């Protein structure tokens, strides 16, 4: 009896976890918990708990796929043939503000080959709440009339299928995001409304940041009715209260900040303004004498004595005393003034004139122009001579999204689980190269076979692209491609993982998960004892048995449902 009670407790804890992970609605979980506590047998308790293992209903109506527990667990297996370590002979980079006293750890990026559902389940072992920025560019699917969107892969999806494919993956992505993390999702005109609703459901509407409107081309002369020249990028935060976006300094006149003093580190560069002004509302208390560096006294408008000519100081006497002491005031010799002095105050970039931190610059806008989609293909052509992947995103677009988050300067971990040709990887590498940053990318994409990629996208494009731009050489050592002629290798090491399966814990035949799973691929040190390793595998890999209904199962269930309805 005590044993059953203990197992029931475990089931109840699991339900709580599913509520916390936003998979199960609280009200449903409470009902299930009541039923489980009253269940007579463990079998009954398990059956009731299973009612809580499907994803919660969304406000959208679509035939979502269900998840179930399979009998194999999935795990990362290093692909030794494709992985590579940063060559030691790369030129040392200049030290920048990013470098700490300690020597930098070598930067290891990751590329996971396979279905991103399994990849995300595995990433949760190491990166739960630890991914700062996610960018995804999922297949755009078919519209409701069944017309295929122009995508570069053969698995064009129906909208229903697109939504039910994305839904469980977004749930996992939400669990991976850090508390102040941000997710960007590219989507076309037709699907934007549907995908936005899906995001509202998973990330909650209150965490919506904006729909970026990206003008990806300047015209569409082949359009019949209206030339659609834009796409969307839906942006959500894990928690809007903690969201952190950078300001746009480009719209801010930085050129006038010409000077610096001994406080440049804390206060930034500065420009000066005159402390006196005329013609505005006069106040006698602001008409007083200030002692100049040579001991003489100056009044507003460079007068040497008190008079009411309408000129006053902008600051009170006490504020001027404070500002002088704290070096916010600068005296400049001025021949045109009776006193021979101009009294000026400093406008620093980083602090206001009470020495409080200040963010200058304007918020970024949700309209993106001047980044053309066509550049994506040109960038690939530079690397491969042809463009073996249709419609890759331009590198600048992804850089833009990384830059506008305030994670940009704190070496974020950036995930793209529909990585395609690997543009997000190259964007991160280029940003690192420009400022010696240590941003890390994790990419996942399936090895889909297309007309231009007979061995699959990862083998023919993604891994090769990253190898070429990171090391300046192809896997076969050749370096005579255009990109390498114009650029230095971007550096870094790439760990490439396949997703392997092994029979679950109950299976005693063949290899066990404890033997095949390599903990070092999940950020762990090698475990010293078998017991430690066993405990870690049991604690972390049970959920990687989860499976989403296959196409066949899903279609069969839809047929059954239709048959029951009619
Ligand atoms: C629109 S493309 C991404 C293009 C990418 N942004 C670029 O610039 O190259 C989507 C990619 O996701 C891959 N994909 C689709 N479904 C997937 C899944 N379930 N798991 C992993 N990759 C998937 C497709 O094969 C395709 O390569």
């Amino acid at each position: 009896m005590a044993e059953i009670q203990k197992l029931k407790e475990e089931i109840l804890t699991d339900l709580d976890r599913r509520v916390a992970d936003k998979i199960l609605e609280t009200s449903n979980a409470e009902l299930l918990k009541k039923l489980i506590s009253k269940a007579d047998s463990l079998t009954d308790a398990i059956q009731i708990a299973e009612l809580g293992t499907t994803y919660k209903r969304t406000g959208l109506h679509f035939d979502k796929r269900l998840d179930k527990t399979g009998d194999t667990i999935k795990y990362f297996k290093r692909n030794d043939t494709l992985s590579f370590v940063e060559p030691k002979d790369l030129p040392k980079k200049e030290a920048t503000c990013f470098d700490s006293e300690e020597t930098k750890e070598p930067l290891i990026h990751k590329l996971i080959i396979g279905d991103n559902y399994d990849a995300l389940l595995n990433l949760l072992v190491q990166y739960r709440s630890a991914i700062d920025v996610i960018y995804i560019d999922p297949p755009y699917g078919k519209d409701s009339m069944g017309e295929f969107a122009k995508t570069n892969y053969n698995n064009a999806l129906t909208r229903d299928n697109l939504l039910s494919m994305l839904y469980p993956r977004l749930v996992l992505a939400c669990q991976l995001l850090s508390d102040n993390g941000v997710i960007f999702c590219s989507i076309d005109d037709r699907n934007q409304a549907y995908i936005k609703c899906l995001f509202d459901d998973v990330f909650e509407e209150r965490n919506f940041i904006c729909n970026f409107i990206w003008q990806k081309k300047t015209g569409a002369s082949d359009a019949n009715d209206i030339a659609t020249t834009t796409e969307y990028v839906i942006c959500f935060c894990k928690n809007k209260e903690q969201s952190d976006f950078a300001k746009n300094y480009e719209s801010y006149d930085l050129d006038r900040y010409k000077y610096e003093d001994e406080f440049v580190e804390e206060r930034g560069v500065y420009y000066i303004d005159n402390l006196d002004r005329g013609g505005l509302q006069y106040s006698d208390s602001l008409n007083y004498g200030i002692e100049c560096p040579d001991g003489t006294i100056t009044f507003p408008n460079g007068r040497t004595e008190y008079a009411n000519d309408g000129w006053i100081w902008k600051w009170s006497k006490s504020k001027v005393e404070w500002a002088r002491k704290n070096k916010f005031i600068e005296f400049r010799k001025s021949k045109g003034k009776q006193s021979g002095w101009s009294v000026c105050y400093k406008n620093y970039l980083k602090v206001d004139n009470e020495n409080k931190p200040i963010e200058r610059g304007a918020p970024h806008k949700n309209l993106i122009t001047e980044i053309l989609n066509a550049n994506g293909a040109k960038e690939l052509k530079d690397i491969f001579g042809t463009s073996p992947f249709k419609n890759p995103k331009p590198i600048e677009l992804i850089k833009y999204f990384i830059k506008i988050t305030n994670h940009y300067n704190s070496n974020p971990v950036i995930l793209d689980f529909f990585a395609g040709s690997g543009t997000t990887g190259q964007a991160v590498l280029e940003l690192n190269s420009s400022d010696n940053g240590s941003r890390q990318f994790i990419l996942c994409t399936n090895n889909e076979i297309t007309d231009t990629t007979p061995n699959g996208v990862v083998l023919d494009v993604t891994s090769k692209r990253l190898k070429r731009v990171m090391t300046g050489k192809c896997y076969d050592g050749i370096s005579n491609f255009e990109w390498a002629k114009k650029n230095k290798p971007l550096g870094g090491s790439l760990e490439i993982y396949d997703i392997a399966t092994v029979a679950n814990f109950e299976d005693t035949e063949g290899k066990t998960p404890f033997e095949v799973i390599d903990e070092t691929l999940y950020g762990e040190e090698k475990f010293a004892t078998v017991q430690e390793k066993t405990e870690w595998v049991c604690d972390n890999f049970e959920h990687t048995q989860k499976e989403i209904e296959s196409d066949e199962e899903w279609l069969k269930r839809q047929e059954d449902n239709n048959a029951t309805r009619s």
Side-chain angles (χ1 to χ4, degrees):
M1 204 58 191
E3 183 65 8
I4 293 184
Q5 197 47 41
K6 193 169 157 249
L7 290 167
K8 276 187 178 180
E9 295 294 327
E10 280 176 22
I11 294 172
L12 296 180
T13 312
D14 190 52
L15 286 177
D16 283 338
R17 185 187 55 75
R18 292 180 75 82
V19 171
D21 288 347
K22 298 183 179 170
I23 294 169
L24 187 62
E25 275 161 16
T26 315
S27 54
N28 289 346
E30 289 311 317
L31 182 62
L32 292 174
K33 279 159 84 176
K34 266 190 211 153
L35 294 172
I36 289 166
S37 16
K38 287 187 187 149
D40 294 332
S41 69
L42 190 58
T43 320
D44 285 355
I46 291 170
Q47 272 174 359
I48 297 166
E50 272 176 6
L51 295 173
T53 58
T54 53
Y55 284 97
K56 66 179 180 184
R57 268 194 77 80
T58 69
L60 275 175
H61 175 76
F62 65 97
D63 292 310
K64 59 190 177 292
R65 293 182 182 218
L66 305 180
D67 74 354
K68 56 182 187 179
T69 302
D71 53 10
T72 54
I73 66 174
K74 285 104 190 165
Y75 64 97
F76 291 150
K77 189 169 178 202
R78 188 175 193 269
N79 185 319
D80 295 329
T81 319
L82 294 179
S83 299
F84 54 88
V85 177
E86 175 162 20
K88 295 204 171 42
D89 55 358
L90 274 188
K92 280 260 169 298
K93 288 175 184 160
E94 301 271 305
T96 67
C97 57
F98 267 121
D99 299 327
S100 59
E101 295 294 294
E102 313 127 38
T103 15
K104 269 180 153 188
E105 289 282 309
L107 195 52
I108 300 175
H109 304 282
K110 294 181 181 176
L111 168 62
I112 303 153
I113 309 174
D115 192 294
N116 49 18
Y117 183 69
D118 301 327
L120 294 169
L121 287 172
N122 269 275
L123 285 172
L124 277 169
V125 174
Q126 184 180 359
Y127 292 98
R128 184 178 278 271
S129 303
I131 303 283
D132 304 298
V133 181
I134 298 180
Y135 169 79
I136 53 168
D137 177 16
Y140 293 169
K142 284 201 285 189
D143 73 8
S144 57
M145 304 299 285
E147 198 180 312
F148 282 96
K150 286 184 183 141
T151 54
N152 51 301
Y153 22 78
N154 300 326
N155 71 342
L157 301 156
T158 61
R159 175 164 303 131
D160 200 9
N161 209 338
L162 171 64
L163 292 170
S164 55
M165 185 269 279
L166 266 184
Y167 180 42
R169 287 163 174 84
L170 291 184
V171 170
L172 299 178
C174 187
Q175 294 164 28
L176 283 166
L177 266 191
S178 61
D179 287 345
N180 60 353
V182 52
I183 179 165
F184 300 92
C185 174
S186 274
I187 200 71
D188 66 344
D189 214 27
R190 296 186 201 190
N191 289 297
Q192 184 277 339
Y194 296 86
I195 302 297
K196 161 70 170 58
C197 293
L198 191 67
F199 268 78
D200 280 343
D201 205 82
V202 177
F203 287 86
E204 295 180 23
E205 202 175 338
R206 66 192 165 90
N207 294 316
F208 174 59
I209 299 294
C210 72
N211 292 305
F212 285 96
I213 300 157
W214 170 38
Q215 189 189 0
K216 62 177 186 170
K217 52 186 175 183
T218 48
S221 48
D222 55 344
N224 286 332
D225 29 38
I226 300 288
T228 303
T229 56
T230 56
E231 258 189 33
Y232 292 91
V233 180
I234 297 171
C235 177
F236 272 75
C237 273
K238 176 83 166 264
N239 298 302
K240 191 148 179 186
E241 307 83 66
Q242 294 186 40
S243 69
D244 201 5
F245 286 89
K247 288 280 186 289
N248 181 5
Y249 293 103
E250 273 161 33
S251 62
Y252 198 72
D253 184 9
L254 281 178
D255 287 347
R256 60 187 174 155
Y257 289 85
K258 288 196 183 104
Y259 308 110
E260 65 175 57
D261 57 18
E262 69 266 43
F263 305 107
V264 66
E265 280 287 302
E266 318 90 88
R267 300 182 188 172
V269 283
Y270 69 89
Y271 69 90
I272 54 162
D273 259 338
N274 285 331
L275 187 65
D276 58 353
R277 68 172 181 209
L280 287 173
Q281 203 178 9
Y282 177 79
S283 162
D284 204 50
S285 66
L286 295 175
N287 189 356
Y288 54 88
I290 294 179
E291 190 182 341
C292 302
D294 60 1
T296 58
I297 302 290
T298 183
F299 283 80
N301 200 16
R303 282 180 272 112
T304 49
E305 55 193 35
Y306 174 84
N308 183 352
D309 61 355
W311 280 71
I312 50 170
W313 299 119
K314 292 176 188 170
W315 294 353
S316 68
K317 206 168 179 177
S318 58
K319 177 152 179 188
V320 168
E321 272 162 25
W322 173 89
R324 247 188 124 150
K325 211 160 101 199
N326 291 286
K327 306 218 171 146
F328 275 75
I329 297 274
E330 197 168 290
F331 289 88
R332 299 206 157 186
K333 284 268 184 203
S334 173
K335 282 195 186 134
K337 304 273 181 191
Q338 196 185 7
S339 67
W341 290 99
S342 280
V343 187
C344 307
Y345 61 97
K346 301 176 190 172
N347 294 281
Y348 289 101
L349 187 62
K350 294 193 201 168
V351 294
D352 65 10
N353 57 34
E354 290 176 355
N355 206 14
K356 296 198 185 102
I358 190 167
E359 262 297 356
R360 311 252 181 214
H364 284 273
K365 294 182 186 150
N366 73 334
L367 180 64
I368 303 171
T369 54
E370 291 169 20
I371 300 179
L372 294 180
N373 197 32
N375 290 349
K378 285 187 202 142
E379 285 153 5
L380 270 192
K381 208 167 171 202
D382 250 13
I383 299 169
F384 290 102
T386 58
S387 195
F389 186 89
K390 286 193 198 122
N391 295 322
K393 289 288 181 281
I395 298 170
E396 282 307 316
L397 181 73
I398 321 257
K399 280 191 190 169
Y400 175 78
F401 292 125
I402 300 172
K403 276 186 182 173
I404 63 166
T405 73
N406 250 348
H407 297 287
Y408 175 62
N409 286 329
S410 53
N411 292 327
V413 183
I414 297 146
L415 169 67
D416 181 346
F417 53 92
F418 288 99
S421 71
T423 311
T424 300
Q426 188 168 342
V428 171
L429 293 165
E430 288 189 7
L431 289 174
N432 281 351
S433 164
S434 66
D435 61 7
N436 206 13
S438 297
R439 303 167 191 92
Q440 184 201 12
F441 69 75
I442 302 174
L443 306 185
C444 171
T445 205
N446 58 14
N447 194 34
E448 185 163 3
I449 294 180
T450 68
D451 297 346
T452 48
T453 57
N455 303 304
V457 168
V458 180
L459 298 189
D460 285 339
V461 185
T462 331
S463 58
K464 286 187 177 168
R465 175 185 196 170
L466 295 170
K467 169 80 177 160
R468 290 177 188 203
V469 299
M470 289 169 85
T471 67
K473 288 189 181 134
C474 312
Y475 277 105
D476 59 12
I478 288 168
S479 58
N480 61 348
F481 49 97
E482 270 316 296
W483 189 92
K485 291 179 197 159
K486 296 189 270 191
N487 298 279
K488 287 205 176 110
L490 298 171
S493 301
L494 186 65
E495 287 284 301
I496 303 191
Y497 303 153
D498 293 305
I499 296 170
T501 53
V502 61
N504 70 11
F505 308 100
E506 280 120 52
D507 194 297
T508 48
E509 284 172 25
K511 296 248 178 197
T512 68
F514 315 109
E515 289 167 284
V516 292
I517 296 175
D518 177 353
E519 59 269 38
T520 63
L521 304 187
Y522 295 84
E524 300 286 337
E525 297 280 322
K526 267 254 170 268
F527 289 114
T529 64
V530 174
Q531 193 193 345
E532 269 179 280
K533 169 94 177 243
T534 312
E535 274 170 18
W536 176 77
V537 170
C538 290
D539 286 349
N540 288 287
F541 284 83
E542 200 181 339
H543 73 276
T544 73
Q545 292 178 100
K546 283 275 169 213
E547 282 171 10
I548 297 286
E549 270 182 325
S550 66
D551 284 1
E552 295 72 31
E553 287 169 318
W554 180 69
L555 284 171
K556 165 103 186 32
R557 190 167 52 79
Q558 287 200 329
E559 274 164 23
D560 292 349
N561 286 347
N562 289 341
T564 323
R565 271 186 221 125
S566 59

